[in-house]
Amino acid sequence: MGRRGFAAIVIAAALLATGCSGQDQPEQQATGPVSLTFWTWAPNMDKVVALWNQKNPDIKVTVNKQDGGDPAVTKLLTATKAGSGAPDVMQAEYQKIPTLVAAEALADISKDLDPAVAKAFPEAVWGGVTLGSDAVYAVPQDTGPMVFYYREDVFKRLGLQVPKTWAEYAEAARKIHQADPKQYLGTFSAADAGWFAGLAQQAGASWWGVDGQSWSVAIDSEATRKVADFWGGLVEEGVIGNKPMYTPAWNAGLNNGTQVGWVSAVWGPGVLEGNAAKTAGKWKLAAMPQWDAGKEATGAWGGSATGVTSQSKHAVQAAKFAAWLNTDPEAVRALAQISGVYPAATAGQTDALTTPPKFFANQPDFYQTAAKAAGTVAPFTYGPNVNVAYNAYNDAFGKAADTKKKSAFLTALTSMQATTIKDLTDGGFTVAK
Amino acid sequence: MRASARRRPPRKVAPYVFLAPAILLFAGFMAAPIGYAVYLSFRATKVSGLGLGKGARREVWAGLANYRRSLADPEFVDSVGRVALYGLLLVPVMMGLALLFALLLDSGRARGRGFSRTAIFLPYAVPAVIASLLWGFLYLPDVSPFAHVAGQLALPSPELMSSRYILFAVANIALWGGVGFNMIVLYTSLGAISSDLSEAARLDGAGERQIALRIKVPIIAPSLIMTFVFSLIATLQVFAEPTTLRPLTNNISTTWTPLMKVYRDAFTRDDVYSAAATSVVIALATLVLSFGFLRLVGRRAFGQEARP
């Protein structure tokens, strides 16, 4: 015995002590300081989070900057599968939430959230984080209601009215292209499935649906066909472009005046400023052209929410932070002004955004028009295999846009629907016919 | 007695001690991941209900279903056909140019040899992604200096990334990057040929072309075969060039090449199981093709070494 026995007792006691504290962890940490990691790609988010860290020394949040939505989701899914490596808090685009929930990457935080949080957001936006259930998988952060940007100078020169309906849009596209064969009012982008989904949303489509315990897929629906037919027609006529957006060629087109309109979302000014600095002050924002004059509706392109991952050991604190970030007036103002996002919180849209973005200094009512659009976003349900459907869109519509045939656009839609359903049934989901 | 006792154990252990690092690395970083990929290729996820919430998904044994799905997938079949065509286009041109440049540099008359060699080799040092971006800009009519010059001269400039030319456009990037490497390998083995042989041939009245074709090329056959196999494997693995060009055009799908399909299945569709099955198929095909070819030309390729 002697010294060695004593050492053994000390070690055993130490092990016991740590073992106990390990079990008591949740209670201890409810009061003790914790640190959380936050994966996000919104610019300057660290500065917004600094406000939180100042006020909440007990819950320190560290921002881990990500490359963008898709790579971050891939990393999170991998970490979930591996059982470790996920952050506590995660920025996730709305269309990725069903996928993340299905993969058990996001935690249900309905118990940890104040019920009043739901009231801060428009109903359609809130539906995107609950997936129509009692669970809450994230707190909405920003939204991307779709709007229409156009070059005011070009419209004035040609004596054109801002299109109120899609028929007028088509007419304007024809006139602009006739006046200058190099100029286009827009392009059909086969690389941006989210953009097309937003257009379908405006027309009244909802690509997925829940029917009891089975999913339904309505990509190839009346409403979407109307949209595909319209854009396919314009491409076939040759009055709008057929090249994808965000290519060097498209960026150059915005700047050199060959792209004089852009069907996009409220976050557009950032893109325009980055790519078309030469045209500052010449653009204007308008509501989306409508299918039925007098009926106001729009879709959403982009937008994300703040979720708590299933691996977080501090879900309570993480949920508290997510709620603060997206509902606290100071945080929302910082999000809008420092990080440049269009906040999802209804109050934030009018209180935090009073002056127009620098690039749109010529349009004082920029955010009033945007807020009006935000109020007209049509409901839309995303499914558990959005990634597959979007991928099918890229492949099928890429071919269709290249052939410049209207009929090919409708075939592409059929193929997209078939691919999406096949993937669901292959994965073992029940799909309602 | 003492000496032999000391000598015997090391003799048995030593080889393994020397081999151990290689074996450990192979087992850890090659065999284990391959084994895991093969294991995953026989698995699948099973969903119950809507697939939402806890425990709605679990992993199950799938047998050969992933393989069946992968081989029957028209996208996969298309991508294989496309890569076969791409290889038919790329490999002969690349090998031909590499051999031509090597022979020209090796012929006694070449001037500025060092400069030319570096100039031809340099593109190999440019990473494929950067090379693709660079060529992508040259291809896009709206930003291409070629199209600009052609426009100024009122000449038509073909759209190099249209569905008609896209295969050539991608092959061109690989060609630009690959010729230099193959050229260096061939040039080095040409340098190892004794000058006596050429001299003797010259005395016998052979011209430069005859010396090149009848003496030099047969002697460097093993190097030619090696570079050919490397090019073949690189062709089957084409990924970086089309992936980098994809955002610039409508004409490269996400399953344009077999490896792109693996990447898409694993990371876009989050289906590592069928991605694993497809990659096992690709690995086997590569193995069969490269060993099959080596077998076919084996005697010729290694004849010289086997003789003594």
Side-chain angles (χ1 to χ4, degrees):
Chain A
M1 260 307 237
R3 202 173 273 175
R4 204 186 284 167
F6 178 70
I9 290 167
V10 170
I11 291 168
L15 282 174
L16 249 155
T18 50
C20 282
S21 72
Q23 275 170 352
D24 291 342
Q25 244 164 14
E27 275 174 44
Q28 276 189 357
Q29 271 158 1
T31 51
V34 302
S35 45
L36 306 172
T37 46
F38 178 20
W39 284 6
T40 174
W41 59 90
N44 294 321
M45 189 58 101
D46 45 342
K47 288 179 192 145
V48 180
V49 168
L51 296 174
W52 164 270
N53 284 337
Q54 238 169 41
K55 288 192 195 156
N56 298 275
D58 283 354
I59 309 174
K60 189 178 177 302
V61 177
T62 310
V63 168
N64 186 325
K65 186 96 196 245
Q66 300 295 309
D67 287 338
D70 286 351
V73 162
T74 303
K75 267 159 81 175
L76 182 64
L77 288 174
T78 311
T80 306
K81 219 166 264 166
S84 71
D88 297 280
V89 186
M90 169 81 185
Q91 181 180 2
E93 289 169 291
Y94 295 112
Q95 78 269 18
K96 296 287 159 55
I97 290 177
T99 309
L100 290 173
V101 171
E104 288 176 34
L106 288 182
D108 172 10
I109 48 172
S110 52
K111 289 194 308 297
D112 310 323
L113 276 186
D114 188 332
V117 170
K119 304 257 181 342
F121 304 97
E123 211 169 304
V125 172
W126 189 251
V129 296
T130 60
L131 306 180
S133 65
D134 295 331
V136 178
Y137 296 106
V139 181
Q141 180 180 303
D142 58 316
T143 57
M146 289 182 84
V147 289
F148 173 57
Y149 297 98
Y150 65 98
R151 281 277 297 273
E152 198 189 14
D153 54 332
V154 175
F155 271 68
K156 265 201 182 130
R157 202 180 61 226
L158 297 175
L160 292 170
Q161 294 288 311
V162 182
K164 289 228 159 32
T165 62
W166 284 111
E168 286 173 24
Y169 175 90
E171 207 40 56
R174 282 184 200 111
K175 286 199 175 127
I176 286 169
H177 188 63
Q178 255 162 28
D180 180 353
K182 275 195 177 148
Q183 254 174 5
Y184 292 105
L185 185 56
T187 186
F188 180 85
S189 182
D192 293 282
W195 171 78
F196 186 75
L199 291 173
Q201 177 176 8
Q202 185 202 19
S206 182
W207 284 358
W208 284 267
V210 175
D211 183 6
Q213 279 301 297
S214 56
W215 286 95
S216 59
V217 179
I219 295 173
D220 192 5
S221 61
E222 191 84 29
T224 323
R225 287 182 85 85
K226 185 162 74 177
V227 178
D229 190 73
F230 174 77
W231 289 92
L234 291 181
V235 169
E236 186 173 307
E237 248 182 272
V239 294
I240 66 158
N242 69 337
K243 297 286 187 297
M245 293 172 189
Y246 295 110
T247 64
W250 181 79
N251 294 344
L254 289 179
N255 203 29
N256 67 21
T258 50
Q259 289 284 339
V260 298
W262 185 27
V263 173
S264 179
V266 286
W267 41 259
V271 177
L272 291 172
E273 194 174 0
N275 291 316
K278 249 168 54 183
T279 58
K282 292 180 179 166
W283 291 84
K284 270 210 149 171
L285 162 107
M288 283 275 273
Q290 296 295 319
W291 286 105
D292 306 306
K295 212 167 145 196
E296 292 288 310
T298 193
W301 183 18
S304 56
T306 316
V308 175
T309 71
S310 53
Q311 276 175 23
S312 176
K313 292 197 180 74
H314 314 291
V316 181
Q317 291 92 331
K320 202 174 150 197
F321 166 73
W324 171 85
L325 180 67
N326 301 307
T327 57
D328 181 88
E330 192 194 353
V332 173
R333 202 174 315 122
L335 270 183
Q337 287 165 3
I338 303 176
S339 194
V341 309
Y342 188 75
T346 322
Q349 291 171 1
T350 46
D351 299 349
L353 299 162
T354 44
T355 47
K358 222 170 51 216
F359 197 79
F360 281 82
N362 54 320
Q363 191 173 12
D365 67 342
F366 184 95
Y367 281 118
Q368 279 90 301
T369 314
K372 224 174 126 201
T376 65
V377 175
F380 194 87
T381 308
Y382 292 106
N385 64 342
V386 172
N387 43 0
V388 172
Y390 277 22
N391 189 76
Y393 171 84
N394 287 352
D395 286 350
F397 276 92
K399 267 188 240 162
D402 199 60
T403 60
K404 291 195 180 186
K405 291 237 169 57
K406 187 158 108 171
S407 56
F409 278 67
L410 296 172
T411 320
L413 210 55
T414 313
S415 129
M416 216 181 136
Q417 164 98 2
T419 308
T420 309
I421 291 185
K422 185 172 182 295
D423 175 75
L424 281 177
T425 37
D426 280 355
F429 290 94
T430 340
V431 181
K433 283 279 152 1
Chain B
M1 178 80 190
R2 219 175 161 201
S4 69
R6 208 191 292 158
R7 208 180 295 152
R8 214 179 296 148
R11 201 195 260 166
K12 277 185 187 161
V13 176
Y16 297 103
V17 172
F18 284 119
L19 279 175
I23 290 173
L24 278 177
L25 286 174
F26 177 80
F29 295 103
M30 286 287 288
I34 290 173
Y36 188 55
V38 172
Y39 168 76
L40 281 180
S41 71
F42 292 111
R43 311 279 293 172
T45 41
K46 182 108 177 79
V47 173
S48 51
L50 292 175
L52 302 175
K54 266 210 148 52
R57 278 181 181 209
R58 62 208 158 82
E59 207 181 275
V60 294
W61 186 255
L64 289 171
N66 289 326
Y67 286 93
R68 238 176 277 131
R69 225 162 17 117
S70 153
L71 289 172
D73 185 349
E75 284 177 337
F76 181 64
V77 177
D78 284 354
S79 72
V80 169
R82 202 172 289 123
V83 163
L85 209 62
Y86 167 85
L88 279 176
L89 201 74
L90 172 67
V91 177
V93 179
M94 182 156 74
M95 295 303 298
L97 282 178
L99 182 62
L100 180 72
F101 287 142
L103 287 170
L104 286 176
L105 284 178
D106 190 61
S107 79
R109 287 182 213 156
R111 300 229 173 116
R113 209 176 292 181
F115 172 77
S116 314
R117 202 174 50 206
T118 314
I120 300 168
F121 180 70
L122 210 58
Y124 178 68
V126 178
V129 171
I130 293 171
S132 309
L133 279 176
L134 192 144
W135 278 100
F137 274 87
L138 295 179
Y139 291 154
L140 275 178
D142 305 74
V143 287
S144 165
F146 297 146
H148 181 73
V149 171
Q152 296 292 315
L153 298 171
L155 290 170
S157 59
E159 270 207 43
L160 292 166
M161 285 204 282
S162 59
S163 52
R164 195 169 193 187
Y165 297 116
I166 190 72
L167 201 66
F168 297 92
V170 178
N172 175 54
I173 301 173
L175 186 69
W176 181 79
V179 166
F181 170 77
N182 291 311
M183 186 270 297
I184 286 286
V185 173
L186 297 178
Y187 178 72
T188 311
S189 54
L190 280 174
I193 300 174
S194 155
S195 58
D196 297 356
L197 277 173
S198 316
E199 225 160 279
R202 220 166 273 135
L203 284 177
D204 284 344
E208 284 296 327
R209 194 179 300 169
Q210 273 176 311
I211 294 175
L213 291 179
R214 300 229 178 131
I215 296 176
K216 289 179 177 174
V217 172
I219 291 179
I220 61 162
S223 303
L224 272 170
I225 287 162
M226 190 188 82
T227 47
F228 182 83
V229 171
F230 283 173
S231 306
L232 196 72
I233 293 173
T235 300
L236 291 170
Q237 295 179 345
V238 57
F239 177 75
E241 292 90 353
T243 307
T244 315
L245 285 184
R246 207 178 74 75
L248 304 182
T249 170
N250 284 330
N251 296 309
I252 298 180
S253 64
T254 46
T255 55
W256 207 71
T257 74
L259 276 198
M260 284 173 78
K261 183 182 147 60
V262 170
Y263 181 83
R264 184 207 64 179
D265 286 350
F267 297 112
T268 310
R269 291 193 163 181
D270 193 36
D271 181 3
V272 284
Y273 313 102
S274 65
T278 315
S279 37
V280 169
V281 170
I282 297 171
L284 285 177
T286 313
L287 216 67
V288 167
L289 272 178
S290 36
F291 278 98
F293 176 76
L294 281 179
R295 249 222 129 134
L296 195 75
V297 296
R299 204 180 297 159
R300 237 181 103 75
F302 305 112
Q304 291 153 314
E305 286 149 40
R307 213 181 296 146

